[in-house]
Amino acid sequence: MNILSNYINGEWQKSTATENLEVINPATAELLAKVPLSPKSEVNQAAEAAAEAFKSWRRTPATQRVQFLFILKYLLEENLEDIARTITFECGKTLAESRGEMRRAIENVEIACGIPMMMQGSNLEDIAKGIDEIMIRQPLGVCAAICPFNFPGMIPFWFLPYALACGNTYIVKPSEKVPLTMQKIFTLLEQTGLPKGVVNLVNGTKETVDAILEHPQIKAVSFVGSTPVAKYIYSWGAANGKRMQAQGGAKNPIVILPDADMEMTTRIAADSAFGCAGQRCLAASIAITVGEAKDSFSEAIAQAANKRIVGNGLDDNVQMGAVINAGSKARIEGLIEKAASSGAKLLVDGRNPNIPGYEQGCFIRPTILQDVNPLSETANTEIFGPVLSLMHVNDIDEAISLVNNSLFGNMACLFTTSGAAARKFRYEAEAGNIGINIGVAAPMAFFPFSGWKQSFFGDLHGQGNHAVEFFTQTKVVVERWKDEWSRKF
Ligand code: NAD
């Protein structure tokens, strides 16, 4: 069985780990590889290599640094199909979803290629007579990303291209559940000809993560994952003096007004709730119908859920793949059971489906819970599976208060044909990513991925200008040059 390697200082290295975890295809239960739980000493090696590489990488002009990203974009385009298949193999989502994920990854590389413009500072002549002030941006040093399972190809790219373009060196710690995608991507990073030590890959779990959070040469850490781990990582990294950004879990509401285009709304809501088997941090998890929207939406979304084709993400007609593993399937089905036994009605029950040919797979069909109490555990727990909870209110103000009572603030969406209602929602909803007639309000690479509340810990988000600010530190220079000194020449 293939035990995956780390990539440290420009070389693939077998880990000295004494423990490995199995990487399993969630659709077939096939064992794909084993991933090492790399010890602290291997994080130290990666950090030292990256610190050494930083000395010359930061002196490489920005215009030259981005040449490696241009090559990377080309290599990612050329290998997109192969990487997408790997994502589907280890993560379970459909091939179309995996391709879409990689398009989003590439978009971040494209935007980071604009760093010679984006990284510019500012200045003002004569802040006092004969004195000028300049603000420049300098890279931080070694930075690292700790990533979740649900977007193994895209999420590291919310950070890595910007970090490198700004002159930092980098370490990626992929999710131990889906480490194969980064193995492929690192073979492409290797082919770009980046100097050794500029990018490093270390596999593992808690011990590896803690070594990253505690290493004195690592200056900044980006995390994406569940809220409890985000809180821990944010606080422990900060306690160790690092610049931190930590994106956490979600429980995203969508609000449906009676004037919404019901056919379009249903299609978009179903894609949001059941796409990627509900394992998107921007998946709709609660649908709040207002007034007369209740009956028409409930009926239409139940039909859409029943019709969805579930199976192996590699098969052509499949619209929804497996959830990540057996533990996750059992957890999601347990939460459905709990909801049903505490008063919610099971409008569509997707538990334990029969998927011919994939009896060992981790499948749950789309599930819809009706009349979910906003104060219940179901309404307030991130399920991270293909489960949509329906709630009903009488007007938009009540709907917005339900949205704002949530502990999370990753996304909130409104479906309406009223501009005034849309403006009110955009203005008042307490979430960082807002969709109006959109079901997955994922910011493009040139906007920050703006989670709020328990969905984000930090100040600067991933992507775009926020990433440039996160990966640089400002230096202000105040200069006095007397006129009389130039008269010598
Ligand atoms: P997770 O929190 O279990 O793991 C994320 C990473 O943290 C992994 O690399 C893992 O090895 C590491 N980790 C786990 N437990 C740890 C611990 N105790 N100490 C140190 N490191 C630890 O998350 P997951 O299950 O891989 O991903 C799903 C979660 O990610 C969901 O909650 C989802 O909402 C969230 N997510 C959020 C966003 C966002 O933008 N806000 C995006 C994608 C996923």
Side-chain angles (χ1 to χ4, degrees):
M1 177 45 59
N2 176 23
I3 298 180
L4 303 180
S5 295
N6 293 327
Y7 183 77
I8 298 175
N9 204 20
E11 277 171 20
W12 289 98
Q13 289 186 14
K14 284 283 165 220
S15 173
T16 58
T18 50
E19 213 185 321
N20 303 298
L21 293 180
E22 293 185 336
V23 184
I24 308 266
N25 179 331
T28 60
E30 180 197 352
L31 177 61
L32 300 172
K34 288 193 175 184
V35 61
L37 303 191
S38 307
K40 186 175 178 177
S41 58
E42 285 162 12
V43 170
N44 293 351
Q45 274 178 34
E48 278 153 30
E52 187 56 34
F54 176 67
K55 292 178 189 161
S56 53
W57 183 244
R58 68 158 293 192
R59 290 176 185 276
T60 306
T63 49
Q64 286 178 29
R65 292 197 298 259
V66 299
Q67 297 310 315
F68 295 94
L69 295 182
F70 284 117
I71 301 170
L72 180 61
K73 171 185 154 62
Y74 168 77
L75 290 170
L76 288 169
E77 296 276 6
E78 273 227 306
N79 292 277
L80 190 143
E81 197 57 25
D82 182 38
I83 299 171
R85 289 181 78 81
T86 304
I87 294 174
T88 294
F89 268 129
E90 65 178 352
C91 194
K93 61 179 72 170
T94 68
L95 206 44
E97 289 165 344
S98 300
R99 291 182 186 125
E101 170 175 351
M102 284 315 297
R103 291 246 65 86
R104 286 288 179 130
I106 292 169
E107 188 188 291
N108 278 284
V109 178
E110 291 167 352
I111 298 308
C113 286
I115 221 71
M117 290 291 292
M118 292 166 82
M119 201 181 157
Q120 288 180 12
S122 57
N123 57 62
L124 185 68
E125 268 186 347
D126 291 323
I127 52 139
K129 201 166 167 47
I131 300 180
D132 304 330
E133 191 158 336
I134 300 166
M135 189 275 280
I136 52 183
R137 292 192 172 280
Q138 295 191 332
L140 304 172
V142 183
C143 305
I146 299 160
C147 306
F149 79 80
N150 62 331
F151 284 94
M154 175 183 74
I155 286 178
F157 282 86
W158 287 348
F159 315 110
L160 178 141
Y162 305 97
L164 296 190
C166 289
N168 302 281
T169 52
Y170 216 64
I171 301 172
V172 177
K173 203 300 282 175
S175 163
E176 65 282 5
K177 296 172 192 153
V178 289
L180 293 167
T181 303
M182 272 298 124
Q183 295 271 312
K184 290 239 149 138
I185 288 175
F186 265 74
T187 61
L188 303 182
L189 280 162
E190 190 178 22
Q191 286 171 40
T192 62
L194 274 166
K196 64 179 192 170
V198 170
V199 287
N200 303 273
L201 174 70
V202 185
N203 289 289
T205 51
K206 183 165 171 54
E207 185 186 343
T208 322
V209 169
D210 284 345
I212 290 174
L213 296 175
E214 290 159 16
H215 199 287
Q217 275 171 309
I218 297 177
K219 304 297 179 203
V221 177
S222 305
F223 170 84
V224 182
S226 58
T227 291
V229 182
K231 271 187 193 168
Y232 163 71
I233 296 225
Y234 181 72
S235 53
W236 188 228
N240 282 289
K242 300 187 195 323
R243 186 177 285 200
M244 299 297 300
Q245 52 183 191
Q247 302 186 204
K251 184 83 187 176
N252 303 305
I254 59 171
V255 175
I256 298 128
L257 296 189
D259 70 348
D261 174 336
M262 208 48 81
E263 188 278 321
M264 181 199 79
T265 301
T266 309
R267 185 168 29 83
I268 292 178
D271 283 342
S272 176
F274 310 131
C276 295
Q279 299 170 122
R280 264 197 293 233
C281 65
L282 296 180
S285 177
I286 296 173
I288 305 166
T289 51
V290 176
E292 286 158 18
K294 182 179 181 184
D295 292 343
S296 49
F297 180 74
S298 311
E299 203 177 299
I301 195 76
Q303 269 181 27
N306 280 318
K307 277 206 297 217
R308 210 154 188 95
I309 302 167
V310 179
N312 184 344
L314 282 184
D315 294 343
D316 274 348
N317 58 344
V318 164
Q319 296 169 314
M320 191 179 105
V323 298
I324 188 66
N325 57 29
S328 196
K329 176 175 154 75
R331 184 186 55 78
I332 296 165
E333 290 183 342
L335 284 167
I336 297 172
E337 179 58 40
K338 227 177 187 179
S341 58
S342 56
K345 182 176 156 205
L346 261 170
L347 190 61
V348 181
D349 184 357
R351 288 173 294 175
N352 291 316
N354 175 28
I355 311 289
Y358 299 104
E359 285 72 16
Q360 304 305 312
C362 305
F363 292 100
I364 305 178
R365 285 194 54 80
T367 297
I368 301 185
L369 299 163
Q370 203 172 28
D371 300 330
V372 173
N373 179 343
L375 300 175
S376 65
E377 187 184 340
T378 314
N380 294 289
T381 307
E382 180 178 38
I383 298 178
F384 220 55
V387 181
L388 184 66
S389 296
L390 305 187
M391 295 178 191
H392 182 68
V393 294
N394 293 319
D395 59 38
I396 188 170
D397 286 311
E398 261 187 83
I400 292 174
S401 4
L402 276 189
V403 169
N404 293 350
N405 284 342
S406 174
L407 288 174
F408 299 100
N410 220 27
M411 181 187 81
C413 300
L414 179 74
F415 290 84
T416 184
T417 47
S418 155
R423 183 176 191 279
K424 178 182 171 70
F425 190 82
R426 187 184 74 194
Y427 198 93
E428 293 179 15
E430 291 170 8
N433 299 296
I434 299 289
I436 305 291
N437 295 313
I438 296 286
V440 180
M444 299 289 282
F446 30 94
F447 286 96
F449 195 104
S450 296
W452 281 15
K453 293 155 93 177
Q454 299 276 308
S455 299
F456 179 71
F457 302 90
D459 310 292
L460 294 164
H461 297 84
Q463 299 197 146
N465 282 328
H466 272 217
V468 178
E469 282 196 49
F470 185 79
F471 289 116
T472 55
Q473 49 199 343
T474 54
K475 184 180 269 182
V476 172
V477 185
V478 186
E479 295 183 344
R480 182 199 311 272
W481 296 106
K482 288 188 176 173
D483 258 357
E484 65 209 54
W485 296 341
S486 66
R487 283 188 212 118
K488 285 189 264 180
F489 305 106

